[in-house]
Amino acid sequence: MNEPAGGRIFFVNRRRFSSNGRALSEEDRIPVITVGIDIGSSTSHLVFSRLTLERLDSRYVVASRETLHESSILLTPYAGENTIDSGALGEFIALQYHAAGLDPEKIDTGALILTGVAAGRSNARRIGELFAREAGKMVAVSAGDGLEAVMAAHGSGAAARSLRENATVVNIDIGGGTSKIAICAGGKVRARTALDVGSRLVSFDQDGRIVRVEGVARLYANELGIRLAVGEILEPEDARAMAELMADCLMESLGGGSPRAGGAALLRLDPLPAVRVDCVTLSGGVAEYFYERERASFGDLGCALASAMRTRLERLARRIEQPGHGIRATVIGASQYTTQVSGTTIYVSPLEVLPLRNVPVVTPELQLDVEIIDPNQIRAAIEDALGRRELNAGEAPLAIFFSWRGSATFARIDAFCRGVAYALAGLLRHGHPLVLVNDGDVGGLIGIHFHQELASGYPVVSIDGLELREFDYIDVGRMLDLSGAVPVVIKSLVFPADSRRNRSAIRIT
C-alpha cells in the first residue's frame, strides 16, 4: 500500500503474546500476579493477588482471584506538616513484598493509588518515583475526589450490586481526610460528591493528647466552640461531638444538601441530586468500625464517626449491606497483558512519537450510530468525559476510545475528527500526541484524515481492533521490526466480579 504524506499505515497480524513471550492464543488459562498499593491520607496498605485469566472466545476473562497476602494497615507516615515520609513508606512496602514472599520482578502488574489528602501533599510526585523501576508494570493514579468516589463505588461492589438487584445503591467511603458518596444504578455511578469529613482530621495519642490537626478540623471545632491545639487533651465528649457533627454533614450531603461548618462550605464537588435510596454500603477505614471488623482505637475519630453514622443510617430506614471490600475498596489488583493490535490498519505519525506509557483511556458517550454526526455533540461528550476523569487540564497524553458505527464516509469522518480536534485543542497545544483507539477498522482512515484533510501539525496515533473501558491505561510500543506490528499493553483496574458473569472481563482482541 502507498504511504500517505506525513504518516504510514501498518497492516498487522493477529498473533497475541503475553509479556513473557507466551502466545496467549495457545493457552486457555494464564496465571497473573498483581499488587495493589493504596497510599491514603491516613492509612497505606498493599494487597497481593493471583488472577487466573481464562480464554473466552477471543478474550480473556478473570476466572478467579486468590489473595496471596494482605499487608498490615500502616498509618501513613509524615515527616512534616505537609510531607509524607517517603523513606518510611518505602521501607514498609519493601517489608510487605518480603512478607508475601514475592520478588518485585515476579509481579506481572499492579496499581499504585494516591488518594484523599495524600494526593495533594508536597512530595506526592516523589512517592510515585519510588516505583519508577516498575513503570512498565504499574498503573500510577493520583485519584482526585471524583475519581476516588467512582473507584470506591466499584471496589466496594456497590456498582455491581445496583445492577444485580436493580436498585439504587449508595456507597459512602469515609477515609481519614475526606469522604466520598457515589449513587449507583444499573451498574454505573450516576452521581458522586465529596466533602471534608474524615476520621483523622484530628489525631491524638493514647492519653488523648492531640498530636496532629488538619485545617478543616478547626471548622468543626469552631462550630462547636472546642479548642484544638497540639499538645492539649481532646476530651472524649468533644471528640464525640465532632464526630456527630461530621455525621450530620454526611447525611445532609447524602440528601442533596451543601453542608457548612464554621462558616465554610464542606463540599469538594457539586451536590448530589435528590434520589430515593434502596440500599447503603460503607467503605474506607471507618467502615471497619461500622461493620465491627475493628475495635482497636488508632487515636482518631473513626470509632465515634462509625457509631454516629450507624445511628443516622438506621433512622433513614434503608437497607444497610456489607460491601465486597471495606478499607481496601479503592485499590484493587490491576491486570496487565500485552497484545499486538489486531485491527486491519493503524496510523502512526511520526514514528518517533512512540513509545507511549501509562496513557489513561477516556470513554465518552458518542452518538456515532446516526447518519449525520454532529461535531458539537462529539466535542461536548469528550469534554464531559474528561471532566469525569479529571483529565481536562491537558497536562499529559490521554487516549479517546470509541466504537465506530455506520459507514466511513468522508462527511461522517470529517465531522467526527473536527469534534475531537475542538475538544482536545488544549491538550494538543501542550504538544501531546492525539491518541485514538476504536474497536473497528477505521484507525487508518481517521489518522489520514487528521493529517491530510485537517492538516494537523501534531503527532497522531490511531489504533483499531481493541475494546477498552473506563479506568484502562495503555502503553503503545515502537513498531516491531519485520512484522510491522505495534505492541499495545492494556492495563485494567480489576474491580469485583461482574454480577452477571461472576468474573471481570479482560479483553484481548
Side-chain angles (χ1 to χ4, degrees):
M1 187 168 206
N2 293 332
E3 181 178 329
R8 185 175 180 183
I9 298 176
F10 302 109
F11 285 89
V12 297
N13 57 48
R14 291 180 173 270
R15 186 169 173 79
R16 294 170 284 273
F17 292 92
S18 67
S19 57
N20 66 2
R22 295 173 300 187
L24 297 184
S25 58
E26 297 172 2
E27 300 189 33
D28 290 328
R29 296 174 68 85
I30 302 170
V32 176
I33 305 298
T34 75
V35 59
I37 304 173
D38 184 357
I39 301 171
S41 53
S42 59
T43 61
S44 299
H45 53 92
L46 292 78
V47 178
F48 296 89
S49 305
R50 177 185 289 112
L51 304 180
T52 299
L53 304 183
E54 184 177 280
R55 187 150 62 101
L56 179 65
D57 299 325
S58 61
R59 301 183 304 158
Y60 278 77
V61 299
V62 179
S64 64
R65 179 188 294 108
E66 175 191 358
T67 299
L68 300 177
H69 177 72
E70 290 185 351
S71 78
S72 55
I73 304 295
L74 173 73
L75 294 180
T76 301
Y78 287 85
E81 185 69 22
N82 196 40
T83 306
I84 295 173
D85 189 336
S86 58
L89 192 59
E91 289 177 9
F92 169 75
I93 291 172
L95 247 135
Q96 299 310 314
Y97 271 90
H98 179 74
L102 292 170
D103 187 313
E105 294 297 330
K106 301 299 182 183
I107 300 296
D108 293 302
T109 184
L112 165 65
I113 314 294
L114 284 101
T115 59
V117 179
R121 294 304 186 190
S122 60
N123 65 333
R125 182 179 297 274
R126 184 179 174 190
I127 300 301
E129 290 172 356
L130 285 172
F131 306 94
R133 188 164 58 92
E134 301 293 323
K137 299 179 180 181
M138 299 288 289
V139 179
V141 181
S142 178
D145 297 315
L147 178 56
E148 189 178 353
V150 173
M151 294 175 71
H154 282 278
S156 67
R161 183 187 295 275
S162 73
L163 178 63
R164 183 174 64 247
E165 300 181 1
N166 190 27
T168 299
V169 180
V170 169
N171 186 67
I172 306 173
D173 186 88
I174 309 176
T178 60
S179 294
K180 282 68 59 179
I181 304 175
I183 299 175
C184 306
K188 296 183 177 180
V189 175
R190 303 298 179 177
R192 77 281 188 277
T193 195
L195 65 163
D196 289 315
V197 168
S199 62
R200 291 188 71 80
L201 292 178
V202 57
S203 53
F204 39 86
D205 62 20
Q206 59 185 3
D207 298 321
R209 199 171 302 279
I210 297 173
V211 296
R212 187 178 183 83
V213 179
E214 297 287 350
V216 176
R218 301 190 190 281
L219 298 177
Y220 294 101
N222 292 342
E223 182 84 10
L224 297 166
I226 296 171
R227 172 179 164 79
L228 293 180
V230 173
E232 294 191 3
I233 297 292
L234 179 64
E235 299 296 339
E237 57 268 25
D238 289 341
R240 283 194 296 272
M242 290 185 67
E244 295 283 340
L245 180 55
M246 288 183 188
D248 286 339
C249 292
L250 271 169
M251 296 305 294
E252 183 180 348
S253 180
L254 179 60
S258 302
R260 301 176 68 86
L266 297 173
L267 284 187
R268 300 166 65 92
L269 298 173
D270 291 338
L272 294 171
V275 298
R276 175 178 173 79
V277 177
D278 299 311
C279 172
V280 177
T281 60
L282 266 74
S283 61
V286 172
E288 301 305 300
Y289 292 107
F290 186 89
Y291 294 105
E292 299 181 343
R293 294 190 288 256
E294 181 62 73
R295 297 183 183 277
S297 172
F298 293 93
D300 56 32
L301 305 178
C303 186
L305 185 51
S307 177
M309 283 301 296
R310 176 164 287 280
T311 299
R312 285 158 178 75
L313 288 174
E314 288 176 345
R315 194 183 302 148
L316 189 64
R318 294 292 182 268
R319 226 170 4 109
I320 301 173
E321 295 287 355
Q322 290 264 358
H325 297 273
I327 193 171
R328 304 183 193 275
T330 302
V331 61
I332 303 296
S335 297
Q336 174 181 304
Y337 54 87
T338 299
T339 179
Q340 293 181 11
V341 178
S342 59
T344 304
T345 63
I346 65 174
Y347 185 96
V348 179
S349 177
L351 294 179
E352 291 73 25
V353 71
L354 300 179
L356 296 172
R357 285 190 179 278
N358 286 335
V359 179
V361 174
V362 178
T363 58
E365 296 182 6
L366 303 176
Q367 295 178 12
L368 298 176
D369 56 352
V370 294
E371 183 176 350
I372 300 177
I373 294 175
D374 182 358
N376 292 321
Q377 187 278 329
I378 301 297
R379 176 180 186 173
I382 293 175
E383 289 176 344
D384 179 68
L386 295 179
R388 185 174 67 245
R389 289 291 307 277
E390 298 172 351
L391 295 170
N392 43 10
E395 296 175 351
L398 55 84
I400 300 294
F401 173 75
F402 61 96
S403 296
W404 184 263
R405 297 292 179 266
S407 59
T409 63
F410 178 91
R412 298 183 84 243
I413 288 179
D414 185 66
F416 170 78
C417 291
R418 292 185 185 278
V420 171
Y422 295 152
L424 299 181
L427 177 135
L428 298 173
R429 278 197 299 270
H430 279 75
H432 301 303
L434 172 66
V435 183
L436 299 173
V437 185
N438 74 88
D439 59 359
D441 58 2
V442 295
L445 290 175
I446 287 175
I448 292 171
H449 196 95
F450 268 102
H451 267 163
Q452 291 192 348
E453 303 299 333
L454 300 188
S456 62
Y458 41 78
V460 174
V461 177
S462 184
I463 302 171
D464 56 25
L466 295 178
E467 181 186 349
L468 303 177
R469 62 181 177 183
E470 205 84 359
F471 300 115
D472 282 352
Y473 288 73
I474 61 171
D475 294 351
V476 185
R478 291 191 177 93
M479 184 182 68
L480 301 177
D481 294 334
L482 303 179
S483 70
V486 176
V488 178
V489 177
I490 306 172
K491 307 170 184 180
S492 301
L493 296 183
V494 181
F495 293 117
D498 186 312
S499 58
R500 293 165 298 179
R501 308 183 68 94
N502 196 30
R503 59 182 65 182
S504 301
I506 297 291
R507 297 158 311 287
I508 299 184
T509 59

